[in-house]
Amino acid sequence: MTLREAVEGQEYIIEEILTDDEELNAFLFSLGCYSGEPITVISHLKKSCMVSIKDARYNLDSNLANAILIQEKS
């Protein structure tokens, strides 16, 4: 499932980031957004998602949110 499909307030684990853009991967890595890290969707907005990663909040646009695959935390 992608971040756009996530339930608000529930914690997930980042499974994979589907992008070939190395700059984007480096940027997400600098935010703490990489495989195995927990992520929580705070709210879904029309064209973006507000997420919490490592006690920080970020606003990700819809295209980026669709590129981040997540799984439910066990």
Side-chain angles (χ1 to χ4, degrees), residues 28-74:
L28 290 172
F29 188 82
S30 73
L31 299 180
C33 185
Y34 47 86
S35 295
E37 281 299 308
I39 188 169
T40 303
V41 175
I42 298 167
S43 65
H44 290 288
L45 307 171
K46 280 188 177 182
K47 296 184 179 181
S48 62
C49 283
M50 180 71 70
V51 298
S52 174
I53 306 169
K54 293 192 174 196
D55 296 328
R57 292 181 178 203
Y58 301 103
N59 193 23
L60 305 177
D61 72 12
S62 291
N63 292 333
L64 188 51
N66 282 327
I68 299 174
L69 297 181
I70 56 173
Q71 63 184 7
E72 289 188 31
K73 188 172 180 178
S74 303

